[in-house]
Amino acid sequence: AQKVTQAQTEISVVEKEDVTLDCVYETRDTTYYLFWYKQPPSGELVFLIRRNSFDEQNEISGRYSWNFQKSTSSFNFTITASQVVDSAVYFCALSEADSNYQLIWGAGTKLIIKP
Amino acid sequence: DAMVIQNPRYQVTQFGKPVTLSCSQTLNHNVMYWYQQKSSQAPKLLFHYYDKDFNNEADTPDNFQSRRPNTSFCFLDIRSPGLGDAAMYLCATSRERAGTRFQPQHFGDGTRLSIL
């Protein structure tokens, strides 16, 4: 079974629209960590956020915001007023004791922002 | 300034000809990782070093080896590259491996390997 599910393979929106990328995870551990990484066309993976399982407070960083809900095992990522530079593949990842804290990756969501 | 540096950015080798990819870091992190990422897929962990302690993933082919001569450098050696080994290879570092002090992994720009 998939431990990290990013059901949206590709999303395409017009610049300035808001967009939400979904991430659903599965774990039996009570202590775990969730991450979002951005991979632009140039290839590097850019760390965006880490959230531990004891901190359900939502976070906002500029145009980016994250909604962590343990009740639904989701860690969704919203970009407000999207820009062309946001075009990238976004990966959600889980780190848990059961997997020796190695990153378990979702399949990624390709986000296309059209001008 | 780049903190995890991978060289070269693009590498072309011939089928069966050994190739080495390099990674260096200025973060003084204990852990260094090598990932393989094929097109439209998530990164796949090959192995990692915690200091000098080498940890191989169970499904990493024997064709892939790694060396870490010091804290700053880590190498990925592919002994006899096959066509299926064409991919992006990503190096990453983190301060610690596990537990409550777990730090996010910082990635280099990657080396895109092509096999002729």
Side-chain angles (χ1 to χ4, degrees), chain B residues 27 35 77 92:
Chain B
L27 297 164
Y35 288 87
D77 301 309

Side-chain angles (χ1 to χ4, degrees), chain A residues 48-63:
Chain A
L48 295 178
I49 190 171
R50 178 188 73 153
R51 174 64 77 223
N52 75 56
S53 52
F54 297 109
D55 182 4
E56 279 195 80
Q57 190 173 8
N58 291 329
E59 180 153 341
I60 298 174
S61 175
R63 296 183 297 106

Side-chain angles (χ1 to χ4, degrees), chain B residues 69-110:
Chain B
N70 54 52
T71 301
S72 300
F73 285 87
C74 195
F75 300 98
L76 169 62
D77 301 309
I78 309 177
R79 292 191 297 189
S80 182
L83 295 178
D85 296 328
M88 173 78 91
Y89 289 87
L90 294 159
C91 174
T93 72
S94 64
R95 184 170 299 154
E96 291 292 337
R97 178 169 54 192
T100 58
R101 294 173 298 161
F102 183 83
Q103 297 295 315
Q105 293 181 17
H106 298 271
F107 285 83
D109 289 350

Side-chain angles (χ1 to χ4, degrees), chain A residues 25 27 29-34 50-57 68-70 94-95 101:
Chain A
Y25 63 92
T27 180
D29 284 337
T30 55
T31 301
Y32 54 90
Y33 301 86
L34 295 163
R50 178 188 73 153
R51 174 64 77 223
N52 75 56
S53 52
F54 297 109
D55 182 4
E56 279 195 80
Q57 190 173 8
F68 177 30
Q69 292 197 340
K70 289 176 77 170
L94 165 72
S95 168
Y101 291 104

Side-chain angles (χ1 to χ4, degrees), chain A residues 31 33 35 37 39 41-47 49-50 54 89 91 95 100-108, chain B residues 9 33 35 37 40-43 45 48 57 88 90 97-109 112:
Chain A
T31 301
Y33 301 86
F35 301 81
Y37 281 87
Q39 189 172 39
S42 49
E44 74 274 24
L45 274 162
V46 178
F47 166 75
I49 190 171
R50 178 188 73 153
F54 297 109
V89 179
F91 290 97
S95 168
N100 201 26
Y101 291 104
Q102 301 301 345
L103 286 174
I104 302 167
W105 300 83
Chain B
R9 191 81 169 89
Y33 306 81
Y35 288 87
Q37 187 180 25
S40 302
Q41 296 183 19
L45 182 64
H48 74 275
E57 293 301 299
M88 173 78 91
L90 294 159
R97 178 169 54 192
T100 58
R101 294 173 298 161
F102 183 83
Q103 297 295 315
Q105 293 181 17
H106 298 271
F107 285 83
D109 289 350
R112 191 170 294 281

Side-chain angles (χ1 to χ4, degrees), chain A residues 8-96:
Chain A
Q8 304 146 310
T9 305
E10 184 173 307
I11 301 174
S12 180
V13 300
V14 176
E15 198 173 21
K16 297 182 185 175
E17 286 185 11
D18 299 347
V19 59
T20 295
L21 309 182
D22 297 333
C23 176
V24 174
Y25 63 92
E26 180 187 329
T27 180
R28 292 176 300 179
D29 284 337
T30 55
T31 301
Y32 54 90
Y33 301 86
L34 295 163
F35 301 81
W36 276 95
Y37 281 87
K38 173 183 179 179
Q39 189 172 39
S42 49
E44 74 274 24
L45 274 162
V46 178
F47 166 75
L48 295 178
I49 190 171
R50 178 188 73 153
R51 174 64 77 223
N52 75 56
S53 52
F54 297 109
D55 182 4
E56 279 195 80
Q57 190 173 8
N58 291 329
E59 180 153 341
I60 298 174
S61 175
R63 296 183 297 106
Y64 294 173
S65 62
W66 290 269
N67 183 4
F68 177 30
Q69 292 197 340
K70 289 176 77 170
S71 59
T72 56
S73 297
S74 65
F75 187 43
N76 296 338
F77 172 34
T78 297
I79 301 175
T80 303
S82 60
Q83 299 176 2
V84 173
V85 293
D86 296 326
S87 297
V89 179
Y90 290 85
F91 290 97
C92 179
L94 165 72
S95 168
E96 55 171 12

